[in-house]
């Protein structure tokens, strides 16, 4: 039953008419995913009755929209981004949009090329996890132009658009406080930062090794996520009366330094750390690899915590205590913010911050 | 120094003139990735001197090429596909091509929509890991048309194009023979197959549980990779005189059945298996999860082997013995095959088969 014949039919109208959920209706209309033949037929009939498809096509032609979103992720091999991408894709499909992905492997040059390619292909908007949160000129040009951009996992204060992240500083401080509460004082942080293009980041490697200088937190190529996790780490240490916050801070550079080697250096110190905090699950694999190579037991000899609830962290023995990020929700929020910008045009930038959850498992014990 | 001014300059010409490698020259010309400022300037000067850029642009306009490849992967959350994608992207960038990815999550409807979107965006060709190796009509239309397609990880005999895979049957048989050599007779295989769209695969779930019928190997929705791994498993068992090859075969359906539950069922049998073979690293996580939940030790109580050398398999204790696939090389070979089709047009289909390596670690011991 149509309720109002004067306005253009919407997906909710079609769903109501067909007696199916909005999600089913949009999947059927977008010809995507699992819809029963019966539901598909009812949606088709409802769309025809309400003139939905004709309206949608007409709107496409008027607006020039392609109903395609571009997504630029930083590292497809990191389970965090795989999960986020899943959230993005599900949310986009539900809204009737297709997703095209590009992977930059944390390389700014690759990011610039990927953004250009996706724009050339006339995507309606971009979700970007930028390789740098300061070198964003190529994105600024888009934000002010025809292609809305929403940042994901990382925010760039100089870029007047939305960003969807977790509270990285708070989550990091919370994890460190838990280690302090367990009795630890010598707590290491192992993290990676972006590298300058054109090989200019050999100095970055020095920064990484020289984390004690205090400049390394931002690295040669700052990414807000890493900067904030280091800030949270330092803040929690200072609050516990630990003055030399950088004694066990190791900031490496993506592709140039191996977290296992950084950890091995830490374990070789005269007074090695009794706990190690890894800023993502891939770094945690490097940390565990170095810990295993030394024959150390977790948590008896050394405690280990990490960002990201990768599936393997629940299967290794001992199971890893982690900072879980709401990966699917981060992706879905980014899509919602982007669609709002696409459909309603420019509006003041919003920084959407989602909560993390610390999951206590078996990898933390008091120091020996 | 130009050697021949009559023909159009090529990347090797520019590289020679600039005194850099072909790879560096193509990265500089494509404005992608790490190139030193000095090399970039020399390549620019060489390209200008040889008229390379003008030629390339002219060729682009004549051929209508966009220098973009579309890649349709089956599951971005599977480390195998993340690694393959890395190989694809590196090879494409080296050749001066950008890559646009789509993830189907093993859903045939999503694959059809993704292929359509990428074709609408005028990619020059597609690398596809198809969700089904029989339902390939949407790809057949392309193969015969303007958009070359190369299959990856999976091959479809009915599709007259190239496929790049490993020898799945041989690799699977080899892994099972190693378990037999260690003394095992009750060897389980846990695998997943594709599902029919529109919820039609409820019968598939039954097939999975009823693997003993012998029809389950192909499942409701065959994927060549899984079919061949099951065939290799059965062949190795039969060669060892084990007649009932399906007693411990469990074929589940993607998204509908949890490998941990399938494993739990196996462990509950009156005579449970003494070894379990998982057909990918994500299934292996489910197997280990069920093994851990029972309090069983690997390899003392049960041996475990898996396809795919995921990074975590080297870090868990015990380290997992695996069938390692050459993931980067699979991706690079697929790109090479696709570029040959793009540049030289139709030619007879080739099935390129790469070797796997069995990596012996610590997860196999004789049965108790």
């Amino acid at each position: 039953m149509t309720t109002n014949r004067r306005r253009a039919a919407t997906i909710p109208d079609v769903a109501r008419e067909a007696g199916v959920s909005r999600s089913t209706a949009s999947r059927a209309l977008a010809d995507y995913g699992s819809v029963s033949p019966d539901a598909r037929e009812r949606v088709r009939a409802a769309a025809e009755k309400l003139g939905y498809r004709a309206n949608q096509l007409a709107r496409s032609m008027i607006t020039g929209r392609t109903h395609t979103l571009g997504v630029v992720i930083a590292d497809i091999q990191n389970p965090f981004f795989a999960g986020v991408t899943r959230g993005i894709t599900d949310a986009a499909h539900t809204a009737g949009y297709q997703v095209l992905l590009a992977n930059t492997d944390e390389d700014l040059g690759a990011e610039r090329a990927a953004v250009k390619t996706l724009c050339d292909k006339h995507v309606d908007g971009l979700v970007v996890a930028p390789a740098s949160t300061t070198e964003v000129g190529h994105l600024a040009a888009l934000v002010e132009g025809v292609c809305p951009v929403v940042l994901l996992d990382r925010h760039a204060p100089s870029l007047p658009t939305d960003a969807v992240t977790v509270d990285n500083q708070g989550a990091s401080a919370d994890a460190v406080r838990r280690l302090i509460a367990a009795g630890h004082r010598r707590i290491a942080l192992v993290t990676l930062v972006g590298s300058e293009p054109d090989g200019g980041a050999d100095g970055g490697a020095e920064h990484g090794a020289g984390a004690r200088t205090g400049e390394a937190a931002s690295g040669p190529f700052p990414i807000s996520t890493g900067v904030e996790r280091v800030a949270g780490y330092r803040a929690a240490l200072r609050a516990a009366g630990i003055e030399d916050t950088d004694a066990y801070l190791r900031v490496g550079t993506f592709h140039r330094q191996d977290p296992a080697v950084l950890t091995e250096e830490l374990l070789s110190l005269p007074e090695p750390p009794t706990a190690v905090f890894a800023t993502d699950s891939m770094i945690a694999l490097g940390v565990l690899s170095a810990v295993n190579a030394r024959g150390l037991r977790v948590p008896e000899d050394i405690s280990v915590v990490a960002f990201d609830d990768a599936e393997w962290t629940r299967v290794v023995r001992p199971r890893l205590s982690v900072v879980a990020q709401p990966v699917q929700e981060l992706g879905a929020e980014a899509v919602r913010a982007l669609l709002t910008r696409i459909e309603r045009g420019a509006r003041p930038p919003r920084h959407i911050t989602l909560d993390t959850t610390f999951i206590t498992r078996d990898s933390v014990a008091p120091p020996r």
Side-chain angles (χ1 to χ4, degrees), chain A residues 103-237:
Chain A
N103 179 44
T104 66
D105 208 20
E106 302 283 4
D107 180 312
L108 185 57
E111 176 179 309
R112 290 192 177 117
V115 165
K116 181 177 183 305
T117 298
L118 287 163
C119 290
D120 287 350
K121 301 296 189 189
H122 301 293
V123 295
D124 293 336
L126 286 173
V127 175
V128 181
S132 162
T133 46
T134 52
E135 303 290 313
V136 291
H138 56 299
L139 297 174
L142 295 179
V143 168
E144 290 157 12
V146 292
C147 185
V149 176
V150 166
L151 301 185
L152 179 62
D153 178 54
R154 303 157 183 201
H155 65 100
S158 70
L159 207 62
T161 191
D162 302 334
V164 182
T165 74
V166 298
D167 173 11
N168 284 293
Q169 182 161 344
S172 176
D174 175 65
V176 174
R177 275 194 299 270
R178 289 167 189 268
L179 291 169
I180 291 167
H184 294 277
R185 305 286 292 175
R186 303 202 305 269
I187 299 168
L189 184 84
V190 180
T191 190
L192 296 176
V193 297
S195 59
E196 285 173 12
D198 295 339
D202 289 339
E206 287 161 27
H207 269 278
R212 294 196 51 118
T213 65
E215 294 175 325
S218 57
F221 216 98
I223 297 171
S224 65
T225 317
V227 171
E228 290 164 7
R229 289 177 189 177
V230 170
Y233 164 79
R234 284 174 169 154
L237 292 182

Side-chain angles (χ1 to χ4, degrees), chain A residues 1 53 84 111 140 158 316 318 324 360:
Chain A
M1 226 83 64
R53 180 168 288 277
V84 162
E111 176 179 309
S158 70
V316 291
T360 300

Side-chain angles (χ1 to χ4, degrees), chain A residues 34-53:
Chain A
S34 289
V35 183
S36 74
D38 173 50
R40 190 184 298 279
E41 174 53 27
R42 277 186 289 140
V43 170
R44 194 204 55 73
E48 194 179 333
K49 180 170 173 188
L50 303 183
Y52 174 81
R53 180 168 288 277

Side-chain angles (χ1 to χ4, degrees), chain A residues 30-88:
Chain A
D31 197 20
Y32 160 74
S34 289
V35 183
S36 74
D38 173 50
R40 190 184 298 279
E41 174 53 27
R42 277 186 289 140
V43 170
R44 194 204 55 73
E48 194 179 333
K49 180 170 173 188
L50 303 183
Y52 174 81
R53 180 168 288 277
N55 286 339
Q56 189 189 42
L57 281 174
R59 197 166 61 220
S60 249
M61 283 189 290
I62 290 163
T63 62
R65 280 191 209 146
T66 64
H67 288 273
T68 314
L69 305 181
V71 176
V72 181
I73 59 174
D75 184 0
I76 196 175
Q77 296 188 288
N78 186 334
F80 169 78
F81 284 111
V84 162
T85 302
R86 182 75 188 277
I88 288 173

